[in-house]
């Protein structure tokens, strides 16, 4: 039996860099897109980048706790997407737009 | 050697599809590229011996969450010219900020985990089996029982919150 197959040929730094890049793509997406749906999707992308890193270190260290954390993160992501999208539908119903700039109204 | 090449190609495809999510102008295409990204991430999980999470990732993310996004997008019925535009200086600032963040991440985390650090007393069999349902389920219902039960409360409140918010009533923002 091989010990954690993938990490005999690929270093964990590779997955570190990969998930950092995915996370940064999510951050840039939140900053440059104004469609609120896409912003929510970029948040999902950031959560997935963290999941990828957790799984890779879980395999690397031979412990299952990281994978269970991923499980809980998925649960939280599902709840967050549900509530976020229903707020979005509510805002669209009132303003007929999903422009994130309209959230400025919350200031006053 | 060949597994290394597969890992690099998968990484490239993951980053490429993630980039397409934020670059494509049509929201529908963004959602479909995000589904592709989730499939790529699942493939990465399979490479790392996390078979259960790979399946759950496809079922929960690609199956449930993205279908929810697709439903909302189709319900809102946005046209392409309704897509709000971002100014060029804003995009440049965002890309510079993101690049700086990436540099900080890589510089801070580069030296972590130099060599295989499997905890003492863990056999090769255990390491190969940690991603399977049997082992994860056992951990979930012994060590993480309380968080698992609290999860159901979270879901309950999410359902109630979503129904309350989306109910059609007089809710004026102005």
């Amino acid at each position: 039996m091989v010990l954690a197959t993938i990490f005999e040929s690929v270093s964990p730094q590779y997955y570190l860099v990969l998930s950092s890049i995915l996370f940064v793509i999510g951050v840039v997406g939140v900053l440059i897109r104004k469609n609120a749906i896409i912003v929510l999707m970029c948040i999902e992308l950031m959560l997935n980048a963290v999941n990828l890193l957790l799984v890779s270190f879980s395999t690397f260290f031979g412990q299952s706790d990281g994978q269970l954390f991923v499980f809980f993160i998925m649960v939280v992501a599902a709840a967050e997407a549900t509530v976020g999208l229903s707020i979005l539908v509510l805002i669209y119903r009132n303003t007929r737009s999903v422009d994130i700039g309209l959230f400025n109204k919350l200031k006053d | 050697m060949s597994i290394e090449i597969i890992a690099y190609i998968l990484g490239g495809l993951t980053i490429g599809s993630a980039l397409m999510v934020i670059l494509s102008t049509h929201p529908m295409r963004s959602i479909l590229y995000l589904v592709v990204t989730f499939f790529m991430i699942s493939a990465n999980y399979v490479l790392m011996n996390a078979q259960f999470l790979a399946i759950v990732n496809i079922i929960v993310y690609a199956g449930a969450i993205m279908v929810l996004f697709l439903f909302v997008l189709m319900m809102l019925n946005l046209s392409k010219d309704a897509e709000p535009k971002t100014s060029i200086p804003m995009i440049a600032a965002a890309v510079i900020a993101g690049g700086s963040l990436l540099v900080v991440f890589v510089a801070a985390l580069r030296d972590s985990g130099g060599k295989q650090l499997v905890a003492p007393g863990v056999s090769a069999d255990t390491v190969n089996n940690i991603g399977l349902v049997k082992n994860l389920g056992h951990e979930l219902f012994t060590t993480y029982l309380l968080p698992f039960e609290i999860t159901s409360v979270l879901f309950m409140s999410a359902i109630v919150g979503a129904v309350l918010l989306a109910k059609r009533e007089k809710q004026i923002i102005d």
Side-chain angles (χ1 to χ4, degrees), chain A residues 2 14 32-33 48 59 94, chain B residues 7 38 48 83 86 128 144 171:
Chain A
V2 268
Y14 166 66
I32 69 172
R33 298 305 296 267
N48 260 281
T59 307
N94 280 295
Chain B
F38 287 154
M48 289 187 287
E83 180 74 10
T86 316
N128 279 318
Y144 292 93
Q171 287 163 320

Side-chain angles (χ1 to χ4, degrees), chain A residues 71-72 75-76, chain B residues 145-156:
Chain A
F71 190 73
F72 289 122
V75 169
V76 173
Chain B
L145 184 60
L146 182 65
F148 182 69
E149 294 295 338
I150 292 176
T151 290
S152 58
V153 179
L154 175 70
F155 262 135
M156 198 65 211

Side-chain angles (χ1 to χ4, degrees), chain A residues 2-107:
Chain A
V2 268
L3 194 64
T5 340
I6 181 80
F7 289 114
E8 289 188 334
S9 42
V10 179
S11 73
Q13 274 83 5
Y14 166 66
Y15 279 105
L16 247 166
V17 173
L18 178 62
S19 51
S20 297
I21 292 174
L22 280 180
F23 189 86
V24 166
I25 288 174
V27 172
V28 172
V30 168
L31 292 177
I32 69 172
R33 298 305 296 267
K34 290 202 152 173
N35 190 333
I37 299 180
I38 314 268
V39 171
L40 274 176
M41 278 163 51
C42 288
I43 292 172
E44 300 290 330
L45 192 59
M46 285 193 267
L47 286 169
N48 260 281
V50 176
N51 282 353
L52 186 62
L53 195 60
L54 275 173
V55 170
S56 76
F57 273 106
S58 159
T59 307
F60 184 65
F61 290 121
Q63 310 244 305
S64 55
D65 304 61
Q67 303 198 8
L68 286 164
F69 265 79
V70 171
F71 190 73
F72 289 122
I73 290 176
M74 279 177 185
V75 169
V76 173
E80 168 249 318
T82 321
V83 177
L85 283 173
S86 59
I87 291 177
L88 196 64
V89 169
L90 191 62
I91 285 177
Y92 180 79
R93 214 181 268 157
N94 280 295
T95 62
R96 294 281 133 197
S97 160
V98 287
D99 192 342
I100 200 98
L102 288 174
F103 289 9
N104 274 342
K105 272 187 185 171
L106 294 177
K107 261 194 309 195

Side-chain angles (χ1 to χ4, degrees), chain B residues 13 22 34 37 44 51 60 71 74 81 100 103 108 137 143 165:
Chain B
L13 285 174
I22 65 169
L34 195 58
T37 311
N44 275 313
Q51 293 90 346
V60 172
F71 264 133
M74 286 193 263
D81 33 279
S100 317
V103 168
T143 320
L165 284 171

Side-chain angles (χ1 to χ4, degrees), chain B residues 1 19 95-96 101 121 125 129 132 145 149-151 164 169:
Chain B
M1 188 57 208
L19 272 179
V95 169
I96 291 171
L101 187 64
D125 252 7
N129 290 338
L132 300 182
L145 184 60
E149 294 295 338
I150 292 176
T151 290
L164 189 72
E169 259 187 89

